[in-house]
Amino acid sequence: MRIDIITVLPELLESPLGHSIIRRAQKKGLVEIYLHQLRDYTTDKHRTTDDYAFGPDAGMVLKVEPIFKVIEKLKGERTYDEVIYTSPDGEPYTQGLANQLSTMQNIILLCGHYKGVDHRVREHLVTREISIGDYVLSGGELAAAVIVDSVVRLVPGVLTDETSALTDSFQDGLLAPPVYTRPAEFNGWKVPEILISGNFKEIEKWQLEQSIERTRRLRPNLLGE
Ligand code: SAH
């Protein structure tokens, strides 16, 4: 899978993309991630990526020309499944959407900034808009990091058995059960007896019960309740 990220602040993404599972996925050649500095696609001497919004409201807007240039360049090199704009008014991001994106070959993630991007970008260049939640960030970079992280770990071969995504929350419509590790007793606080019983069938049953109980209590909407 290839992910191209367009941003005015690539520095903001270097660390989130350069560690742990995402780094390993790139090293293994399972995922390629490229950061594109929007400024490199400007033509004026000041390398201007933004301008004042038309109308009475204060605020800067990312200009259409450099965004058009970088997207056209990338599209000239390969076919993209989606050109995604991160936006608070986009489609709410879910594990289901992460699963869907993880099956794609090539995607572009466009990060907005300031007041956002010139709306013509959204009308003519973007194919999908994603929001990571009902709040407003200063830029799309952190949203892109969230999307990339959650997608990359689902790409086949990225996770090992120990970190398998299958038992994670939402994957089967339920929240994950509680997890514990050694020591079995600390400070008088005990790990549930069943987990140290060695009876895997009973443990699985307990885990499922816990998942259902936690989902019902914490996120009843997932059960349609
Ligand atoms: N004026 C816009 C917000 C701009 S915030 C509005 O009111 O809708 C600046 C940029 O941050 C946006 O262009 C977008 O790319 C990103 N962003 C902010 N909040 C986000 C969210 N909840 N999900 C995804 N991207 C977000």
Side-chain angles (χ1 to χ4, degrees):
M1 178 182 199
R2 175 180 168 123
I3 304 172
D4 289 277
I5 306 176
I6 303 168
T7 164
V8 286
L9 279 172
E11 304 81 15
L12 262 183
L13 283 159
E14 277 160 16
S15 175
L17 301 181
H19 298 279
S20 183
I21 290 169
I22 303 191
R23 181 184 146 93
R24 256 180 283 142
Q26 292 175 90
K27 280 195 140 181
K28 281 197 206 165
L30 297 166
V31 181
E32 290 173 66
I33 305 172
Y34 296 93
L35 297 175
H36 304 277
Q37 167 57 273
L38 191 59
R39 231 167 261 294
D40 295 342
Y41 295 85
T42 53
T43 44
D44 66 309
K45 146 165 141 240
H46 301 292
R47 313 216 305 151
T48 318
T49 51
D50 57 303
D51 207 338
Y52 295 99
F54 283 124
D57 296 336
M60 304 304 280
V61 175
L62 288 182
K63 289 161 70 65
V64 63
E65 302 100 311
I67 297 177
F68 175 77
K69 245 176 117 181
V70 60
I71 292 179
E72 284 303 298
K73 180 193 158 241
L74 291 170
K75 287 209 284 198
E77 293 165 354
R78 67 196 62 76
T79 307
Y80 283 90
D81 300 289
E82 299 280 8
V83 178
I84 298 165
Y85 174 53
T86 56
S87 183
D89 56 6
E91 185 181 345
Y93 195 54
T94 58
Q95 188 67 16
L97 191 41
N99 278 314
Q100 214 180 314
L101 297 181
S102 74
T103 65
M104 296 182 180
Q105 279 305 308
N106 303 309
I107 61 170
I108 292 177
L109 286 173
L110 170 64
C111 306
H113 224 82
Y114 315 110
K115 293 304 275 178
V117 296
D118 186 306
H119 205 73
R120 286 166 290 184
V121 168
R122 303 175 65 173
E123 287 165 341
H124 302 288
L125 298 171
V126 163
T127 61
R128 195 155 194 167
E129 301 184 327
I130 295 179
S131 163
I132 64 157
D134 287 352
Y135 40 80
V136 176
L137 303 164
S138 322
E141 289 75 16
L142 297 180
V146 166
I147 294 169
V148 172
D149 188 300
S150 52
V151 167
V152 165
R153 62 200 299 284
L154 296 170
V155 171
V158 169
L159 294 187
T160 55
D161 275 354
E162 298 90 79
T163 49
S164 166
L166 292 175
T167 52
D168 284 333
S169 291
F170 309 112
Q171 220 36 33
D172 53 3
L174 293 174
L175 300 180
V179 289
Y180 300 85
T181 185
R182 284 177 290 188
E185 183 172 345
F186 169 76
N187 210 17
W189 306 331
K190 289 188 179 147
V191 164
E193 206 65 45
I194 181 83
L195 290 177
I196 38 183
S197 68
N199 185 335
F200 290 114
K201 227 176 132 204
E202 284 302 309
I203 292 176
E204 272 176 11
K205 198 172 140 224
W206 177 86
Q207 286 175 325
L208 181 62
E209 282 164 10
Q210 289 289 317
S211 279
I212 294 170
E213 188 278 320
R214 290 176 65 76
T215 311
R216 183 157 288 143
R217 181 160 49 86
L218 302 170
R219 293 292 304 276
N221 60 312
L222 294 176
L223 298 169
E225 288 175 2

